[in-house]
Amino acid sequence: MVAIGWFLGGIAGGVTGIGGAMIAIPIMMISLSTENSILISCLICIFASTQLALNYRHACRWSDIKYLILGAAPGCFLGVLLLRSASMAVLQLVLCIVLFAFVFMQSCRTICRYRLPDSVFTGIATGVICGAVNASVAMVGAPLGIYALLKHWSPDRSRGNINVFLMFPNYGSVFFQALSGFYTVPILKLAAAGVISCYVGTKIGVYLGHKIDQEMFRKLILLILILIAVILLIRACRSF
């Protein structure tokens, strides 16, 4: 399930530049606990984000993400506290909310006209939120995607900024999680399998991104995510 989830997640991330963990985590949860799925994904995201950052680094503008980076570290610390204290039902509910937010953001991107003004506060606050979401549920794509949407960046600029910034909350999340003693040998072994499949999937996704209709692929991904979010919502409600 780890290999399958991250192969498909790698393809999605390679084509769209975002959302790989949103595909992979629910698939892994078929056979793993919510917490272990999140921890494994955080480890794999280190390699996935580095790979994508190298592909899209030339489109990154450091002036766009410098304040996001400042907020990422404290956000990761807060996210690890949430991961340590929250129940599995709460984590599943948070996963569900993040998925619905991501789908809503993607669905409304063509009609959203508001532009978020440049601000130190909004940049740092968004960085904190991204770090917290990444360290707790490994789905930073939703808040980061909403921020990019409201900034009205071009597609290339968005992919560059998003994928370079993602390295910071990904590395920060694993650092604080490791300090808290979350990682065990079985988790590391499973993550290794996911890294290999994610690498292959990402390579395929980057190639397909230049060959297929991205709008059609995006709509298919959104339909899958809606189904996954509904399933997670049902599981969370039954757990309470």
Side-chain angles (χ1 to χ4, degrees):
M1 289 299 101
V2 173
I4 293 172
W6 272 103
F7 176 73
L8 298 176
I11 293 176
V15 173
T16 65
I18 196 171
M22 297 184 187
I23 298 294
I25 290 178
I27 293 175
M28 289 192 294
M29 286 172 59
I30 294 174
S31 59
L32 295 171
S33 69
T34 303
E35 180 179 303
N36 285 343
S37 298
I38 291 169
L39 292 172
I40 291 168
S41 294
C42 286
L43 285 171
I44 296 171
C45 280
I46 285 184
F47 300 93
S49 63
T50 303
Q51 184 180 359
L52 287 171
L54 291 174
N55 280 285
Y56 295 115
R57 67 187 185 280
H58 299 297
C60 174
R61 299 187 185 182
W62 288 99
S63 59
D64 290 338
I65 63 173
K66 59 184 180 182
Y67 296 120
L68 294 174
I69 294 172
L70 288 177
C76 291
F77 177 76
L78 293 175
V80 170
L81 292 180
L82 176 62
L83 183 62
R84 176 179 289 277
S85 59
S87 66
M88 289 300 103
V90 170
L91 290 177
Q92 287 179 335
L93 186 60
V94 172
L95 283 170
C96 178
I97 293 172
V98 171
L99 282 172
F100 275 126
F102 180 78
V103 171
F104 176 79
M105 175 269 297
Q106 288 288 323
S107 301
C108 297
R109 66 178 186 172
T110 57
I111 61 174
C112 183
R113 296 290 179 264
Y114 174 73
R115 185 186 185 280
L116 190 67
D118 295 331
S119 166
V120 175
F121 173 77
T122 57
I124 294 177
T126 302
V128 171
I129 293 172
C130 288
V133 170
N134 192 67
S136 58
V137 295
M139 288 190 176
V140 67
L144 186 56
I146 293 172
Y147 181 81
L149 173 70
L150 294 178
K151 297 298 288 187
H152 289 269
W153 292 332
S154 67
D156 286 340
R157 186 176 175 182
S158 293
R159 281 191 288 265
N161 290 341
I162 287 173
N163 285 294
V164 172
F165 166 71
L166 279 176
M167 290 193 301
F168 294 90
N170 286 334
Y171 278 88
S173 297
V174 171
F175 174 76
F176 285 114
Q177 288 166 353
L179 286 181
S180 298
F182 279 108
Y183 293 114
T184 61
V185 173
I187 287 178
L188 296 177
K189 290 180 178 179
L190 289 172
V195 167
I196 297 171
S197 60
C198 179
Y199 175 81
V200 176
T202 300
K203 283 290 186 181
I204 295 173
V206 171
Y207 173 78
L208 291 177
H210 301 292
K211 301 293 183 181
I212 67 174
D213 182 358
Q214 290 204 28
E215 186 63 20
M216 181 182 299
F217 184 85
R218 186 184 68 85
K219 290 179 179 179
L220 177 61
I221 292 295
L222 290 180
L223 288 175
I224 294 172
L225 291 179
I226 290 173
L227 177 61
I228 291 170
V230 171
I231 294 173
L232 288 176
L233 179 60
I234 294 173
R235 285 184 177 181
C237 291
R238 288 178 176 177
S239 300
F240 280 112

